[in-house]
């Protein structure tokens, strides 16, 4: 796993200063502590920071092809590189190393951009073809590895694995995009279609860009998508057998490593499934690690310990203080852009624990999105059934009225919190799902904005791109569209960003076997009954894993990493909550009604309402903007 950065001149190929590229890569040193390199030529410069995983001594970067025609910097892993290497060798390719980077070079020379379809892996890379004078930027299918780009005032395009690599360049403008602030408040992160800074873009997952010196900057081209529009046929037993085959392929392909390898183990379905299949394929105990909390309602270590004992893993666990808020500044610095998924804190802690013993850790991320494991997906499927029974002309007035008058009862049991359900049923399926997924509803955001901010936003609302994505999805049903949006919008923006930044902050490579594209494509074709049965999500996955895991692991309630935000803001962070409105960067932007923010804080601290999520978002926004614009 690595960090990459570079410059490419569009128009006139000007000389590139190696020191400038090195400055950008030095900002990414945490992603690659094992080595660094810079290469420049007229109009192009490539930089690399290396975390050695495969061919530890023999694959330094930037790397040149055997004939010297192509140069690459690469972040990620190509899991099927050995098979590709054999095929390319039969076609006449010559190799000087034993790693996967050189395979990408040979694959490009053999197949051009179509080489991407042959890769099974996670990757972001920049490849310069000296013969064609072109720069090829590419990102993996699902967006496991990131890539930021920006056009600079000197006519160059800069790129880097993280925003901090671009921030190291003096020509990068640091103008905050108000539309990104709207996106962030809606979702809790800045999605891939935007960046917190105007002029900075993220190469979307499953896309590439092919740039030339003598042409305008080419737009991204999509080279992969997931298709929910077709259904597999066959019995449940047949589908289960196929699923197990794909699960095994995903896990075993990601166990290739020349450094110590292990797994995160929470004791939930997904990580337990990964560990079970790792143990099946390993001749030695699997290294596993878990973190827990000294609060019974938040702690899963007993479940993780049970799975570890079942498969005789070399298991380590650590109890983490729930009051871990002292790391907030470090957390903001990891993400560059504002990021409000509070589970990033415990994710970072488990990465730190894993890195004490291993350099690569397998995770269980991806199964909820692919197999309908989130409660919101199950609720959405049921809401879609209700929508099909009532015409929109009736749903809007009836449920819209109920949604307006029903009290917002944060304190009440779940079945009495019907306000959001009524609001969702009054809208289309796409609008309802966007509301259910959002961190802050549009009417809440509107109340916080000043007139100045409202004018900056115009008619734009953060839900619009999400709704459009669902509407255009290759899908048959509302559940299909919801899962498509989760895989294409939520997962790269939130889940994969969280894991990439927290793991890379500790120089740990995290691999996601349940995001093997063959497994994802198979899951997208499953009939509804294989995804949701009754109120049970991930039905076929759980049924398939019954041969490995006990039912109290497979069918227990989902927990996930929890951070006690509500308690923090009524206790040790109460002062911080009150300060959001009057101090820091936010108070100087003119975007927010400070009286309303102050009221949010007081209502929460007094216990009148639970505003912890909104306060957390505003606090993390304040800290992130302070890092991006330190002199503001």
């Amino acid at each position: 796993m690595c960090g990459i950065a570079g410059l490419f001149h569009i128009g006139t190929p000007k000389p590139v200063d190696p020191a400038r590229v090195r400055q950008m890569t030095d900002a990414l040193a945490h992603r690659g502590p094992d080595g660094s390199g810079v290469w420049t030529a007229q109009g192009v410069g490539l930089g690399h920071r290396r975390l050695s995983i495969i061919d530890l001594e023999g694959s330094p970067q930037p790397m040149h092809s055997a004939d010297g025609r192509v140069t690459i910097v690469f972040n990620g892993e190509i899991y099927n590189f050995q098979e590709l290497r054999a095929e390319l060798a039969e076609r006449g390719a010559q190799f000087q190393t034993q790693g996967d980077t050189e395979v990408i070079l040979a694959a490009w020379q053999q197949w051009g951009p179509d080489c991407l379809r042959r890769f099974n892996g996670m990757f972001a890379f920049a490849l310069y073809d000296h013969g064609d004078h072109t720069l090829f930027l590419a990102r993996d299918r699902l967006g496991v590895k990131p890539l930021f780009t920006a056009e600079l005032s000197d006519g160059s395009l800069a790129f880097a694995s993280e925003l901090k690599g671009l921030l190291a360049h003096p020509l990068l403008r640091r103008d905050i995009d108000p539309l990104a602030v709207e996106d962030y408040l809606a979702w809790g992160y800045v999605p891939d279609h935007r960046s917190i800074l105007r002029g900075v873009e993220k190469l979307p997952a499953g896309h590439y860009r092919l740039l030339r010196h003598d042409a305008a900057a080419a737009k991204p081209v999509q080279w992969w998508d997931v298709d929910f529009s077709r259904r597999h046929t066959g019995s449940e037993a047949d589908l289960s057998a196929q699923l197990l085959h794909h699960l095994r392929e995903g896990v075993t392909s990601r166990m290739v490593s020349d450094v110590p390898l292990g797994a995160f183990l929470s004791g939930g379905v997904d990580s337990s499934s990964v560990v079970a299949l790792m143990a099946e394929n390993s001749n030695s105990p699997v290294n596993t690690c878990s973190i827990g909390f000294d609060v019974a309602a938040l702690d899963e270590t007993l479940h993780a310990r049970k799975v570890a004992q079942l498969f005789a893993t070399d298991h380590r666990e650590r109890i983490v203080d729930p009051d871990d808020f002292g790391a907030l500044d470090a957390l903001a610095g990891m993400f560059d852009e504002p990021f409000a998924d509070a589970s990033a804190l415990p994710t970072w802690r488990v990465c730190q624990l894993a890195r004490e013993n291993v350099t690569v850790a397998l995770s269980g991320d991806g199964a909820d999105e692919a197999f309908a494991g989130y409660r919101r997906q199950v609720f959405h499927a049921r809401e879609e059934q209700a929508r099909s029974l009532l015409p929109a002309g009736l749903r809007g007035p009836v449920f819209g009225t109920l949604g307006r008058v029903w009290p917002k009862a944060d304190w009440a049991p779940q079945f009495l919190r019907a306000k959001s359900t009524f609001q969702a049923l009054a809208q289309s399926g796409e609008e309802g799902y966007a509301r259910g997924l959002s961190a802050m509803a549009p009417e809440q955001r509107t109340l916080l904005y000043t007139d100045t901010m409202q004018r900056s936003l115009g008619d734009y609302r953060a839900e619009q791109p999400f709704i459009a994505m669902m509407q255009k999805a290759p899908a048959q049903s509302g559940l299909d569209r919801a899962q498509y949006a989760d895989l294409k919008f939520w997962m790269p923006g939130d889940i994969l960003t969280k894991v990439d930044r927290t793991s890379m902050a500790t120089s740990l490579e995290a691999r996601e076997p349940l995001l093997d594209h063959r497994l994802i494509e198979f899951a997208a074709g499953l009939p509804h009954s294989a995804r949701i049965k009754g109120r049970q999500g991930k039905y076929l996955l759980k049924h398939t894993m019954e041969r490995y895991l006990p039912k109290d692991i497979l069918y227990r309630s989902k927990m996930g990493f929890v951070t006690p935000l509500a308690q923090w803001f009524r206790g040790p962070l109460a002062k911080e909550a009150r300060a959001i409105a009057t101090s820091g960067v936010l108070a100087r932007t003119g975007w927010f009604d400070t009286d309303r923010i102050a009221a949010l804080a007081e209502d929460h601290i007094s216990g009148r309402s639970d505003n912890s999520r909104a306060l957390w978002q505003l606090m993390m926004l304040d800290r992130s903007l302070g890092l991006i614009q330190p002199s503001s």
Side-chain angles (χ1 to χ4, degrees), residues 44-59:
V44 62
L46 304 179
H48 187 262
R49 295 289 314 203
R50 187 180 188 204
L51 177 63
S52 300
I53 304 294
I54 300 290
D55 193 18
L56 303 185
E57 303 297 332
S59 296

Side-chain angles (χ1 to χ4, degrees), residues 205-228:
H207 284 67
Y208 70 78
R209 293 181 74 178
L210 188 57
L211 304 165
R212 300 181 59 88
H213 292 301
D214 58 357
K219 298 297 181 184
V221 175
Q222 181 169 293
W223 64 271
W224 182 85
D225 201 6
V226 58
D227 187 356
F228 280 85

